[in-house]
Amino acid sequence: MCSTYLKWKTSGALKAALLDQLADINGIYVPSLFQIDYHPDGSVRYITSTKQGYEKVVKRYVRNFDAAHFCTSSIVPFMQVIHDRISLEIARGCSRGCRFCMAGMIYRPVRERSVQKILESLKQRLPAPAMKSCHLHR
Ligand code: SF4
């Protein structure tokens, strides 16, 4: 997505060209390339694509979460902050799947990182003295 954007930016082409190119990448939804027709009650009558071959947007997600990129450094301010801590992404999705919850639905399927991967990331991101006092390290 970024390389498509950078190429477009230097090309001087119109925004419509960028949207057209982005639509060629699996998983990207470009709303302006669809026309929605409504019933009088506001419900959707039909949806049509204005770009040939772009009738469906297939959901794209990281399947093997353990093999996915793990952020090894955090952006921090130059001052001591109240919540002096790091964030570790241990899972995507939620195993509970409550029907009212957007996060529980749109981040499906549930994927969890292995304990070993989480500990590896923790070791990379925590300074050594802090790591020694971490109870997970023992
Ligand atoms: S509300 Fe959402 S995040 Fe919370 S348990 Fe239910 S599905 Fe999971």
Side-chain angles (χ1 to χ4, degrees):
M1 199 168 122
C2 290
S3 58
T4 299
Y5 172 80
L6 289 172
K7 269 188 223 152
W8 166 79
K9 190 73 179 166
T10 53
S11 74
L14 294 174
K15 184 178 171 186
L18 171 66
L19 295 176
D20 188 66
Q21 289 164 31
L22 287 173
D24 289 335
I25 301 172
N26 277 344
I28 293 188
Y29 169 52
V30 181
S32 63
L33 295 179
F34 292 90
Q35 280 182 337
I36 302 174
D37 190 55
Y38 296 94
H39 290 288
D41 67 358
S43 60
V44 174
R45 188 194 316 256
Y46 59 83
I47 302 170
T48 47
S49 167
T50 58
K51 178 178 165 73
Q52 201 169 16
Y54 189 58
E55 284 75 30
K56 263 188 176 178
V57 180
V58 179
K59 183 177 177 177
R60 190 173 177 179
Y61 61 92
V62 174
R63 288 169 200 272
N64 184 348
F65 202 33
D66 253 357
H69 172 72
F70 222 146
C71 180
T72 53
S73 54
S74 306
I75 297 171
V76 293
F78 289 117
M79 56 187 271
Q80 183 82 37
V81 289
I82 294 172
H83 301 295
D84 193 8
R85 61 190 179 196
I86 59 169
S87 299
L88 289 177
E89 189 181 25
I90 61 167
R92 289 186 190 169
C94 179
S95 57
R96 307 288 286 195
C98 305
R99 301 298 297 175
F100 58 84
C101 177
M102 186 179 78
M105 293 293 149
I106 67 171
Y107 295 123
R108 286 181 174 191
V110 178
R111 288 145 297 154
E112 294 171 340
R113 280 211 158 103
S114 65
V115 173
Q116 186 192 344
K117 271 283 175 188
I118 294 168
L119 285 173
E120 269 173 36
S121 175
L122 191 64
K123 283 175 192 163
Q124 286 173 330
R125 296 180 64 189
L126 266 188
M131 194 66 207
K132 276 185 188 161
S133 62
C134 173
H135 74 277
L136 291 173
H137 183 61
R138 289 179 210 141

